[in-house]
Amino acid sequence: MSSTAQGARARARMEVTAAIKEEARRQLAAEGAARLSLRAVARSLGMVSSALYRYFPSRDDLLTALIIDAYDSLGEAAEGANERVADAEPLERWTAVAEAVRLWALEHPHEYALIYGSPVPGYTAPVTTVPPASRVGLLFIGIVGDAHHEGVLADAPELPDDLTAEAGRMAADLAPDLPPATVVALIAAWAELFGLVGFELFGQFNRVVEDRRPFFRHGAIRIAHAVGLR
């Protein structure tokens, strides 16, 4: 087979793969991840199921592809926000990244629900999802690490004795250049930030918080202070 024919075949496969993913996202929005069906996707695209299985052998393979795409899209948005304020103080970079996460979630609610909502029954994410899932967390670690190396990071509160060993393990795994107490504060901050996003996206702030952008920004700054960014 000539290189021209191989290239055309590869492009055709990419186009079909993109169409399958797009239809799957449409079904996620309409039915939810638990009801995603390869047969339904194939039917909507006018394909026979056996043809679709050549692209995604199972529903779980398709879900994994959608999950990786969502994490990568979120990661690109967060990294882009950080690059736009690369010369700013760490607190401003932290806030810019946090606001980019919120904006991405509001613009992609169904993909956010796929990666941060309820687990899909019967699905276990493979290790291939770990690197894309880590992009935002590693970005926050990098921002705090820069503040630490610049000598502008305040000390995190002392840890209780029963958390010392676990804090040391987490620091060794995630950020060996940071004090264990700071790593503990970082992990708590990560959970709090995504909790704020999830509360807004899933309706828990209805009739509670009306002007949500300044509320979120204030929350993101308060959380950054708890990590030691000033």
Side-chain angles (χ1 to χ4, degrees), residues 91-121:
L91 178 59
E92 184 177 343
R93 292 168 56 202
W94 172 285
T95 307
V97 170
E99 291 186 311
V101 169
R102 172 183 176 268
L103 181 60
W104 184 91
L106 294 176
E107 292 176 347
H108 303 83
H110 304 294
E111 283 127 301
Y112 184 89
L114 177 64
I115 56 179
Y116 287 111
S118 300
V120 181

Side-chain angles (χ1 to χ4, degrees), residues 82 90 93-94 97 133-149 153 170-179 182-190 193 227 229:
N82 183 57
R93 292 168 56 202
W94 172 285
V97 170
S134 303
R135 290 175 68 168
V136 174
L138 290 175
L139 189 54
F140 281 127
I141 289 173
I143 292 170
V144 173
D146 288 345
H148 178 61
H149 295 144
L153 184 70
M170 290 190 292
D173 286 348
L174 299 172
D177 293 336
L178 290 175
T182 298
V183 175
V184 169
L186 253 173
I187 294 172
W190 170 68
L193 278 170
V227 176
L229 298 179

Side-chain angles (χ1 to χ4, degrees), residues 188-201:
W190 170 68
E192 289 179 51
L193 278 170
F194 279 87
L196 284 174
V197 173
F199 261 51
E200 179 174 358
L201 195 65

Side-chain angles (χ1 to χ4, degrees), residues 149-180:
H149 295 144
E150 292 165 11
V152 296
L153 184 70
D155 292 336
E158 290 189 12
L159 298 173
D161 291 342
D162 60 356
L163 186 55
T164 302
E166 176 66 1
R169 183 200 63 77
M170 290 190 292
D173 286 348
L174 299 172
D177 293 336
L178 290 175

Side-chain angles (χ1 to χ4, degrees), residues 1 9-10 26 29 36 41 43 48 53 65 77 103 105 108 120 122 124 144 162 165-166 173 175 181 191 199 218 228:
M1 182 181 295
R9 188 172 182 177
R26 190 194 67 78
L36 181 64
V41 171
R43 186 166 55 250
V48 295
Y53 291 140
L103 181 60
H108 303 83
V120 181
T124 301
V144 173
D162 60 356
E166 176 66 1
D173 286 348
F199 261 51
H218 172 75

